[in-house]
Amino acid sequence: MKYNQLGKSALQVSEISFGCMSLGNDHAANARLLHRALDAGITLFDTADLYEKGENETTVGKAFQGRRQQVLLATKVGNQWRTDGRGWDWNPSKPYILQAVEHSLRRLQTDYIDLYQLHGGTLEDPIDETIEAFERLQEQGKIRAYGISSIRPNVIREYVSRSRIASVMMQYSLLDRRPEESCLPLLQEHQISVLARGSYAQGVLVDKPAQPYLNYSVEEVQQAATAVKHVAGNGQKIVDTVVDFVLQQPVVASAVLGIRTDEQLAAAIQAAARLPLSPAEVAALRRAVPPSRYELHR
């Protein structure tokens, strides 16, 4: 497993990370899966207080009792569940963040979070107030680094210029190259890492039938999947190919892969030992479909 520095922080993250959102309700089964990932060298585990109303954080926290020093725990804040439990509201305020972190710490059964991320963001937010909350938590030792999870270029630019974020989590894949236009170069310039999610494009690049994806038609999605198969052959190398396409970008510190089953974990672990794509192979993939671009929040 390769490890990369996360931005300017002291965190060294595994280039394959475990996206915990899809974990089920069986704490023992989850612990076995998470321990297998850690034993294979995966060290970054990403969750959020939004997932399963906090139960996802709880199952991750239970799993790593006794092994806390070996893992990097990343979670997210900003979506406040309503009292009736029938939805949530966006709340990036300083008081809420300072309150919510205490609940996440308790569920994760830890006294610090390695990476605390704002789970969204708009230009209408009290951005300086939000940053103040993260800075205070870092000063208090309750978080080691902070970042945002966003695909909005205009929001990303604000945090790049006004904060000390270590990372931006964003969707990036062969079928979502929108970050290449403006976000990736900007973050590279400022030594802010990308945590890439959605590398499989909801599975259509790997093992699911073609269907419309973002602004791509079924035919274009099929073209991309065919290009992947042409470069990779079949089987595990398809996963290797779509993951390596993302990690070819030097600003991408880790590909965060959603994992729920033993088979998905095995594929993720194998991808860490992949052979890198050649420049010709990368070029062939990029020719398969035209790059998309952000239309909103530019």
Side-chain angles (χ1 to χ4, degrees), residues 19-41:
C20 300
M21 184 176 70
S22 298
L23 290 173
N25 299 319
D26 186 330
H27 293 313
N30 292 341
R32 287 193 293 271
L33 197 64
L34 292 165
H35 288 173
R36 279 187 57 210
L38 178 57
D39 291 342

Side-chain angles (χ1 to χ4, degrees), residues 52-238:
E52 298 297 321
K53 299 181 180 177
E55 282 303 301
N56 197 261
E57 287 183 326
T58 297
T59 199
V60 172
K62 282 180 177 291
F64 290 126
Q65 284 304 291
R67 303 189 71 178
R68 175 66 182 94
Q69 300 302 316
Q70 301 174 45
V71 302
L72 299 177
L73 296 180
T75 191
K76 310 182 195 75
V77 66
N79 295 291
Q80 183 176 16
W81 280 98
R82 297 171 189 151
T83 54
D84 63 8
R86 297 182 179 179
W88 60 85
D89 299 304
W90 178 238
N91 189 350
S93 69
K94 181 177 179 179
Y96 177 67
I97 292 172
L98 297 179
Q99 170 192 1
V101 73
E102 300 299 335
H103 299 302
S104 288
L105 288 167
R106 185 182 69 251
R107 288 188 291 261
L108 289 166
Q109 299 185 48
T110 184
D111 56 5
Y112 69 95
I113 293 165
D114 296 286
L115 178 64
Y116 204 34
Q117 301 160 100
L118 185 68
H119 203 172
T122 74
L123 290 183
E124 288 69 47
D125 293 345
I127 294 176
D128 289 331
E129 180 183 321
T130 302
I131 294 168
E132 286 173 10
F134 285 116
E135 289 285 341
R136 176 183 293 187
L137 292 174
Q138 196 167 26
E139 290 168 5
Q140 294 173 339
K142 294 181 178 179
I143 66 174
R144 295 179 65 194
Y146 67 94
I148 63 172
S149 177
S150 178
I151 61 170
R152 297 182 172 189
N154 55 5
V155 171
I156 291 169
R157 283 195 298 270
E158 291 301 312
Y159 278 90
V160 168
S161 65
R162 295 157 72 170
S163 77
R164 297 189 301 154
I165 55 171
S167 61
V168 176
M169 180 175 285
M170 62 174 63
Q171 186 167 288
Y172 179 55
S173 72
L174 177 61
L175 282 172
D176 190 356
R177 290 164 55 197
R178 293 176 297 177
E180 293 178 359
E181 181 193 356
S182 59
C183 296
L184 298 190
L186 175 69
L187 296 173
Q188 177 76 16
E189 177 186 352
H190 290 270
Q191 295 178 266
I192 297 168
S193 293
V194 169
L195 297 176
R197 60 177 178 83
S199 304
Y200 297 163
Q202 297 180 347
V204 296
L205 287 175
V206 179
D207 57 6
K208 292 185 178 178
Q211 59 183 352
Y213 185 81
L214 297 178
N215 63 317
Y216 292 113
S217 66
V218 173
E219 292 75 19
E220 289 173 314
V221 170
Q222 186 60 59
Q223 286 175 209
T226 299
V228 169
K229 289 180 180 178
H230 179 74
V231 167
N234 293 309
Q236 168 62 33
K237 290 188 177 180
I238 291 177

